[in-house]
Amino acid sequence: MDFKLFGEAFVTLLVIVDPPGMMPIFLALTGPLPARDRNRAAWQAVALALGVIVIFAVAGQTLLDYLHVDLPALQAAGGLLLVLVALELLTGKADDPSQQATSNIALVPLGTPLLAGPGAIVATMLFVQQADGAADYGAIAAAIVAVMLAVWVVLRFSGGIVKILRPGGIEVLTRIAGLLLAAIAVQLIADAVAAFVSQYQTMG
């Protein structure tokens, strides 16, 4: 296995996925839930993110070409999804645990587009395009699994923070997470618009 490529892919994806930055958003979405449901949401989100990233690594370019979708469009869609979640967090609609199913939170927005977002998908697709031979593919696959394992460990043991924060602290964290999520969403959409503009300028 190419350990240099493994290191590059691991560090790149870890920085993009950003487990410590994901923790406040995860806690804001799952804070009101029982510990068992929160742990289930953690592994479901990681499993879905792993599946999405692997699918795009193997057939991403083919899939996008077939659907005539550009990467910036995928980025903008991810941004719009995050805007909806951010609004829920900011207005307090995400506070009522009876309103949310654990699997729904785990799938959207945790699994995708937060963990398996446009950044992680594009980075993985680029690594796969540059890969040469089975050893390189093995290194990229190992890096993806290692990153998702790291994310799961961070989310799984974030429950201790919930006990320290108590309901009042979680409410404050929820509003802050909503603000951060809104900023991430706006950045994603802005980057997508910029990419579209430069693409059409190049074509012109």
Side-chain angles (χ1 to χ4, degrees):
M1 192 170 80
D2 186 342
F3 286 101
K4 183 173 177 287
L5 179 62
F6 169 82
E8 282 177 16
F10 178 79
V11 171
T12 303
L13 286 172
L14 196 68
V15 169
I16 291 169
V17 174
D18 186 20
M22 196 59 59
M23 197 192 287
I25 296 164
F26 175 74
L27 290 177
L29 289 166
T30 62
L33 297 171
R36 189 177 160 198
D37 286 350
R38 191 164 52 247
N39 294 339
R40 195 191 318 152
W43 75 255
Q44 283 179 339
V46 169
L48 175 73
L50 182 63
V52 169
I53 288 175
V54 167
I55 287 167
F56 274 95
V58 174
Q61 200 56 59
T62 311
L63 188 65
L64 291 180
D65 289 346
Y66 176 75
L67 295 171
H68 306 292
V69 172
D70 292 327
L71 280 173
L74 193 68
Q75 204 167 348
L80 289 171
L81 258 176
L82 289 186
V83 165
L84 294 175
V85 178
L87 287 172
E88 277 198 1
L89 291 175
L90 286 167
T91 55
K93 284 185 184 168
D95 290 349
D96 183 2
S98 64
Q99 296 288 313
Q100 25 185 347
T102 312
S103 57
N104 290 355
I105 298 167
L107 304 183
V108 179
L110 287 174
T112 183
L114 282 173
L115 294 178
I121 288 169
V122 171
T124 307
M125 283 168 65
L126 289 174
F127 276 119
V128 169
Q129 282 169 13
Q130 292 161 14
D132 182 23
D136 284 2
Y137 291 124
I140 294 164
I144 293 167
V145 172
V147 168
M148 287 301 145
L149 200 59
V151 172
W152 178 79
V153 168
V154 170
L155 298 185
R156 172 67 180 77
F157 294 103
S158 62
I161 298 168
V162 173
K163 289 173 188 163
I164 298 164
L165 288 174
R166 316 241 172 210
I170 287 173
E171 197 171 324
V172 172
L173 189 68
T174 301
R175 302 298 178 262
I176 294 168
L179 197 59
L180 292 173
L181 212 51
I184 294 168
V186 170
Q187 189 63 55
L188 275 175
I189 294 167
D191 289 347
V193 170
F196 273 125
V197 170
S198 63
Q199 200 173 317
Y200 284 113
Q201 281 176 344
T202 310
M203 286 167 66

